[in-house]
Amino acid sequence: MLRQILTSAVFAGVGAGVLAALLQLWLVVPLIMEAELFESGQRVHFATDGSTQSDRGAPSVWEEPLRHIYTIGFSAVTFTAYAFFMVAGFALATRAGHEITAKRGMVWGLCGAIAVVIAPAIGMPPELPGAIGAEVVPRQVWYLSCVVLTLIGLTQIAFDGRSRVWITAPIFLLVPHLMGAPHLDTYFGVAPAELASEFVARVMGVAMISWVLLGLFAALIWTRSEEA
C-alpha cells in the first residue's frame, strides 16, 4: 500500500504540476507580468489627466526564462504534495469499500479545486501584483480554516449517507464565509479592473483544469498499481 501511495502521488503530482505550470505560463503569467508594469510605475492607469485609459499588453514570457523554470519546478513540487493528500484519501476510501475509478478521480480533483482555490476565492480572490491586502497571519488562518471546513463539508456529502448530512455539510461550507475573510477598509490596487477580473477568471479556470487532471492521473496510476 505504501509503495502504491508513493508511486501514484509522485507520478500524478509531477505530471499534473508540469501541465498546470504550462497552463499558467500561457494564461496567467502574462497577466502577472503586465500587472508588474503597473506596480513598478512603468505603466500608469489613471494618469495625470485623470484618464482611465492605459496601454494593454504583457512583456514576452521568454524575457525571463529562469523565472519560469522555477515556476514549473515549484508547481511540480506543490502538486506532488497535493497528490499525497489525495492518494491518502484514496487509500482510506478503498479500505472503506469505495472503488477508485478514473471518473471518480476527476470528481476528487474537482472537489480539491473547490476546497483549495474556488471556495477561498469567495472571500479572498487571487490578487495581482500591486494589490495590498490585510495582515498575512489572519489571512492565512482564514484560508486554512476555509480549506479544512470545505473539505469536511464535501467529504460529508460524498461519503456520509445519514440524513443529517444535508444539515451539517452546508454549515461547514458556509461557516468560513459567515465569519468573513480579513480585508482592509480601503482599496489599493494600481492595475486596471479589467486586468484584475481577467486574472481571477483565468486562475480559477487553470486551477480547476489542473486539479481535475491531478485526480485523473492519480486514479489511473492507483488502479494500475492495484492490478499489478
Side-chain angles (χ1 to χ4, degrees), residues 31-71:
L31 301 182
I32 294 175
M33 296 179 70
E34 185 173 356
E36 288 173 348
L37 297 177
F38 290 94
E39 182 185 27
S40 63
Q42 298 178 59
R43 191 176 294 172
V44 179
H45 194 59
F46 293 107
T48 54
D49 60 356
S51 172
T52 59
Q53 289 183 316
S54 56
D55 294 332
R56 180 183 178 91
S60 171
V61 295
W62 301 108
E63 291 184 6
E64 300 180 70
L66 185 61
R67 167 183 175 177
H68 305 316
I69 291 173
Y70 288 148
T71 297

